[in-house]
Amino acid sequence: MKKVLLFFLILITLIINKNMIFAVEDAGQSIGEEKRVELKKDVNSLLNKRSNLWNQLFSPKSNLVDINKELKEIVEEPLLTYDMEAFSEIKNKHTSMERILKVDVLDISNIRINEKEIIIDIKVEWLMEGFEENYKEKLDYRMNLIKKDEKWKICDYKVI
């Protein structure tokens, strides 16, 4: 009898806390549509600026010092060091690479915001200039943004 009562108490507790559990899963629903749209635009802008810097590596006139200076405006550690090293290697060794023609953030979800950090899942569509033909690629990322100098910057991301 005690086991049955305990089972029902646990079940009731789970039902009562259901909304709390799922609210943690996607806090993006609680930030409001206006803030959600603004955040999507901000992330899209950061990715487009980063891809423009990537594309500058194709130009023989491009200067790594200038590119790194611009990169520091949109990217923070640990991604900053990685990008600077990758850009330098690509520029100096003329590694084969593809130009990014267009970046579009299709969707954002699982938004977790505090005063200095945002963790967000994003779906991105990349239009790439392939060696033989252009192609599109859709990828899902978990991105970390950090607020530095009153601006949001990308500090890390991973494919999910």
Side-chain angles (χ1 to χ4, degrees), residues 40-126:
K40 184 178 172 186
K41 283 180 185 177
D42 290 347
V43 170
N44 198 66
S45 175
L46 288 169
L47 288 175
N48 274 289
K49 287 176 183 175
R50 190 167 175 254
S51 67
N52 287 338
L53 293 174
W54 170 268
N55 288 338
Q56 285 181 27
L57 296 172
F58 283 91
S59 171
K61 300 178 199 173
S62 65
N63 181 335
L64 273 175
V65 173
D66 294 337
I67 291 173
N68 287 339
K69 184 178 177 183
E70 290 181 53
L71 195 60
K72 289 177 183 178
E73 295 296 314
I74 58 170
V75 179
E76 244 337 291
E77 295 298 342
L79 185 59
L80 180 61
T81 298
Y82 173 81
D83 275 358
M84 289 172 77
E85 289 172 356
F87 282 25
S88 177
E89 185 171 327
I90 289 167
K91 183 70 177 165
N92 294 328
K93 294 186 179 179
H94 305 288
T95 309
S96 63
M97 58 184 190
E98 298 173 336
R99 184 182 302 267
I100 302 168
L101 300 175
K102 185 178 176 189
V103 180
D104 192 21
V105 176
L106 303 175
D107 190 33
I108 62 174
S109 61
N110 297 328
I111 303 163
R112 292 168 296 284
I113 299 177
N114 67 41
E115 197 173 308
K116 297 281 185 184
E117 183 181 31
I118 298 175
I119 300 171
I120 185 172
D121 292 348
I122 61 173
K123 180 180 284 297
V124 179
E125 182 176 73
W126 301 89

Side-chain angles (χ1 to χ4, degrees), residues 132-156:
E132 295 180 17
E133 64 182 32
N134 297 345
Y135 65 93
K136 286 184 179 181
E137 189 171 50
K138 290 181 184 175
L139 294 168
D140 294 322
Y141 299 95
R142 174 148 304 132
M143 181 177 282
N144 295 50
L145 303 171
I146 192 164
K147 197 168 203 173
K148 186 110 181 216
D149 304 324
E150 297 304 311
K151 293 188 285 187
W152 289 106
K153 299 180 181 186
I154 305 169
C155 68
D156 203 8

